[in-house]
Amino acid sequence: SHELKKKQADFILAAGGTLHTVTHADMPRKKQSGADTYAETLQLWQAGKTVTQIAAERGMVESTIFGHLEKLVAKDKIEISSLTHLISPELTRALPKIKSAMEGLKTDKLSLLFDELGGVYSYDDLRLARMLIRYQL
């Protein structure tokens, strides 16, 4: 009520405080929305930056950037072929094994694949393999 607000204001002033109207500028900035963060990663990727460079520039870990790339491939914003330079010859040779593990587990959940394959492949490698298997093979 107006009366209560006036009493609160009088008390603050009597206690030596000041009154300040909160404006939009005083509000904490909202964390970036998901759409913006993917667009930012996409822009840096298209500018020729590496995953390591993008992660450093954005203050994120590389696995987050790999997640963004996977999302962008799924949304047809990035061609899967533009990721091939990230795939080591060892990972290329392991693709059939990883694909068969995915089929055997009936899932492509990274943690389950990681365990099933004995932790031999990093989560980033498994994510790359999953993208290749989903969108190319």
Side-chain angles (χ1 to χ4, degrees), residues 8-77:
Q8 289 171 336
D10 290 344
F11 174 79
I12 291 167
L13 293 171
T18 57
L19 297 177
H20 175 70
T21 310
V22 176
T23 65
H24 183 70
D26 297 320
M27 300 302 282
R29 291 225 15 217
K30 197 178 86 191
K31 193 170 175 260
Q32 267 196 331
S33 76
D36 295 344
T37 195
Y38 294 124
E40 206 171 313
T41 296
L42 177 60
Q43 196 175 5
L44 293 169
W45 178 258
Q46 289 172 333
K49 303 268 184 181
T50 66
V51 171
T52 307
Q53 289 169 329
I54 295 170
E57 202 164 313
R58 304 225 35 225
M60 298 176 165
V61 294
E62 289 183 26
S63 57
T64 301
I65 303 305
F66 274 106
H68 290 182
L69 293 177
E70 187 171 28
K71 194 72 101 201
L72 291 163
V73 166
K75 292 180 173 182
D76 285 331
K77 302 276 187 195

Side-chain angles (χ1 to χ4, degrees), residues 95 98-99 102 129-137:
L95 284 173
I98 295 170
K99 184 176 186 185
M102 283 167 75
R130 179 169 72 183
M131 281 189 265
L132 285 170
I133 290 164
R134 277 184 181 164
Y135 303 109
Q136 196 169 9
L137 295 182

